[in-house]
Amino acid sequence: MLFVRERPRLIRLAYRYLGSVSDAEDVVQDAFLKLGKAGPVERPEGWLARTVTNGALDRLRRQKALRESYVGQWLPEPVVEPELCAASDRELDISFAVMRTLEALSPLERAAFFLHDLFDQDFETIAKTLNRTPAACRKLASRARAAVREGRAKRSATGADIAAFLQAISEAAISGDVAPLAARLAADAQLVSDGGGKAIAAPNVVRGATSVARFLAGIARKAAGGLEVRSLTVNGAPAVLILAEGDSGSLLSFDLDAAGAVRTVYIQRNPDKLGALMP
């Protein structure tokens, strides 16, 4: 059945524009409703991809003011549904690394790239969808393709990586010596924390191994005692949800560079985005 077969992939497509599972589901639902009213359609998979793209772009335009006024750093709403986290669907990678890269691209760059590379649309068809020339769409897709290639994590963390990293954070918090923790981080490591103005978070990206190690040890020291740590899979990769009394919770994950050092640490603290993870 077309709906069952295509819905998860289309939701991943819409999510790559919007960073919100609920918004993505709404856009895909609207697309299927439009398909039902459209009569016979040649290549319905491509028709749905274009309709989802238009719906996502419309929603992005409506949300433009909210996104521009977003407080602090942005991370996507975590995806926990197994059918949407299929690690085998690399072409629709929704890892935090890729989602951060996509957020820095323009909506049109994303659209040209997705429709051409993921749904096999030719640039003449894409040009009609985006109201641009085929040559312009080719350039848009090329820029997006290069950015995603560069931004994609070299290696995803495993559950064992997460456990060892948490242990290193705990030891640094207790001893006050961050050197062993910093040694696990790439020299150019970054930490991105999203509180959305509703939870305490670093307002800027924390950069450098020592700075990231100090930040992590500092927050662990403040939160010492009474923590509940839950392992889960988010956006296709291992992560931990850290809960403490009186706190809205933190979702921590990271990715690695080619040498196995921690490259980017992601901490989602915006309570509006953590609802699906809460007990």
Side-chain angles (χ1 to χ4, degrees), residues 9-219:
R9 201 158 192 255
L10 289 169
I11 290 176
R12 284 165 71 100
L13 171 64
Y15 175 82
R16 286 180 117 205
Y17 288 105
L18 301 166
S20 164
V21 177
S22 57
D23 285 351
E25 289 174 338
D26 288 346
V27 167
V28 171
Q29 183 67 26
D30 287 345
F32 275 105
L33 290 174
K34 290 177 181 177
L35 178 64
K37 298 175 181 177
V41 171
E42 186 178 352
R43 294 192 65 212
E45 296 86 355
W47 189 96
L48 282 166
R50 292 192 298 274
T51 303
V52 166
T53 289
N54 280 329
L57 292 176
D58 286 343
R59 190 161 293 222
L60 280 175
R61 281 189 283 269
R62 294 197 299 271
Q63 295 176 349
K64 188 172 185 292
L66 289 175
R67 285 181 171 252
E68 289 177 347
S69 62
Y70 195 82
V71 177
Q73 302 303 305
W74 178 92
L75 289 172
E77 174 190 330
V79 176
V80 293
E81 291 84 347
E83 68 171 359
L84 302 181
C85 290
S88 60
D89 197 350
R90 182 174 171 82
E91 293 303 315
L92 275 170
D93 186 347
I94 56 171
S95 66
F96 276 19
V98 167
M99 291 298 294
R100 284 275 295 175
T101 300
L102 293 173
E103 180 68 10
L105 298 173
S106 74
L108 291 181
E109 286 172 330
R110 280 177 269 175
F113 170 52
F114 295 162
L115 290 175
H116 182 266
D117 286 32
L118 309 182
F119 289 90
D120 299 321
Q121 306 285 301
D122 58 60
F123 285 115
E124 286 71 23
T125 301
I126 295 170
K128 295 175 183 176
T129 301
L130 302 184
N131 196 27
R132 296 292 189 276
T133 66
C137 291
R138 188 174 287 106
K139 290 180 180 178
L140 289 168
S142 178
R143 287 198 295 268
R145 190 179 303 116
V148 169
R149 189 183 303 118
E150 178 65 24
R152 182 172 274 136
K154 301 301 182 286
R155 185 160 77 82
S156 297
T158 65
D161 292 326
I162 294 274
F165 193 57
L166 288 176
Q167 182 63 32
I169 294 172
S170 177
E171 291 173 357
I174 293 169
S175 69
D177 180 9
V178 301
L181 176 58
R184 291 180 172 271
L185 295 154
D188 59 350
Q190 299 183 3
L191 181 146
V192 184
S193 179
D194 177 356
K198 300 182 179 183
I200 296 173
N204 301 307
V205 176
V206 181
R207 303 179 188 276
T210 301
S211 296
V212 171
R214 286 174 177 162
F215 181 89
L216 289 170
I219 59 176

